[in-house]
Amino acid sequence: MTDATPDARCTLSPQGTVTTVRVGSKCKVSYQFDTRATSATLVLPYVVSIDGQVLPEYADKPGALRGKRTIDLLVNPGSKVALFLNSDVHPAHRSNPVYALEVGRDDVQVNIVEKKGRIGHELATLRAPACRQGATPGKRLQVYDAALTGDIWMQISHLYTSAEADALLPADTAPVIRAAVRSIYVGLPRPELSVKFAASDTNPSLTLRVVFRD
C-alpha cells in the first residue's frame, strides 16, 4: 500500500458476518514559516512529535529550517502532531511542544508568521482553521494561521546556567575566556563585559571590552 492509496480491511462481527472497513489515506501536514521579521533565511532547529513520540529520524539530530521554509509530513488521520523548536529540540529540554494539532481526515496547512515583541503573552496555540479545497481531488485543506512571537521564543529558549555553558566549551578554552563566558551566564550587572589578558613573553597585557546592545 502506498501512502496515497486507501486500504480496505475486513473484520469479523460477533454475528459472524464480514464487514469491510475503509481506512483512509494518509493526510499531509505542512508547517510553513515566515521569519522575515528577523531574517527570511533564519536557520531554525526543529523536531517533529507525533502522538507524543519524537520521530526516530530526529532521535540523534534535529532538522533545520533553512532555505526551504516548510516542514512537510504524511500522517495517519487522527494523529496528534506537534513541533519542538530552537533549543527545545535538545533531548534534555523537550518540554514545550508548540503548534500542536490533531489531524482529522483532511490535509492541514499551518501558516506561522514571526512577529517581534511580546504580544500579550500569546501562546503557540492554533485558532479555528479555514476550510478550502485541497490540491488532492476529493480532499479538503484545513488552513491554520499562527504567530511566532517573543512570548513563544521565550517559551522555546532554554535558559542556560553558567555550569551548562562551561560544560559546552572546548576543553582547551583559555581560562580567561572560560571565566568570561561563565560570568555572562551568571548575569552581568551592566550590558558590557571586560576580559583582561595577562602579559606574556611576546605580548603586553590587554583588556578587551565587549558591549552588548541589549
Side-chain angles (χ1 to χ4, degrees):
M1 182 181 74
T2 65
D3 287 339
T5 304
D7 182 24
R9 300 177 182 176
C10 296
T11 58
L12 189 64
S13 72
Q15 292 76 27
T17 58
V18 174
T19 303
T20 299
V21 179
R22 298 294 296 178
V23 179
S25 61
K26 288 182 180 290
C27 297
K28 180 179 179 181
V29 176
S30 179
Y31 287 95
Q32 302 189 2
F33 286 79
D34 179 350
T35 59
R36 286 176 292 180
T38 298
S39 169
T41 58
L42 176 70
V43 177
L44 183 61
Y46 70 86
V47 162
V48 178
S49 169
I50 296 180
D51 295 329
Q53 299 295 320
V54 169
L55 295 183
E57 54 263 43
Y58 302 109
D60 299 320
K61 185 178 180 181
L65 196 69
R66 297 183 185 274
K68 187 172 183 286
R69 314 308 290 168
T70 63
I71 301 170
D72 294 322
L73 310 166
L74 283 176
V75 303
N76 293 319
S79 297
K80 296 178 180 179
V81 185
L83 301 179
F84 293 102
L85 300 177
N86 205 26
S87 56
D88 219 34
V89 301
H90 192 282
H93 302 154
R94 295 170 185 167
S95 55
N96 295 293
V98 292
Y99 309 116
L101 57 90
E102 184 170 350
V103 181
R105 307 200 70 83
D106 300 324
D107 292 339
V108 176
Q109 177 179 315
V110 184
N111 299 321
I112 302 168
V113 179
E114 184 184 22
K115 297 180 180 179
K116 287 187 176 181
R118 304 189 68 176
I119 307 171
H121 198 64
E122 184 175 351
L123 298 178
T125 52
L126 301 169
R127 298 184 179 90
C131 184
R132 301 176 186 170
Q133 177 59 47
T136 304
K139 272 225 172 185
R140 299 182 304 175
L141 178 67
Q142 302 289 343
V143 181
Y144 292 87
D145 289 323
L148 176 56
T149 67
D151 295 295
I152 297 170
W153 277 120
M154 294 289 288
Q155 185 179 349
I156 60 178
S157 297
H158 178 66
L159 181 61
Y160 286 88
T161 65
S162 60
E164 288 174 322
D166 186 63
L168 291 172
L169 293 173
D172 59 352
T173 301
V176 65
I177 298 297
R178 187 176 294 276
V181 171
R182 285 184 60 92
S183 69
I184 292 172
Y185 287 91
V186 168
L188 299 172
R190 298 182 302 279
E192 64 181 51
L193 176 67
S194 292
V195 185
K196 297 182 179 180
F197 297 89
S200 67
D201 294 338
T202 56
N203 296 305
S205 62
L206 173 69
T207 298
L208 175 66
R209 182 169 174 260
V210 181
V211 177
F212 301 97
R213 290 184 178 178
D214 187 4

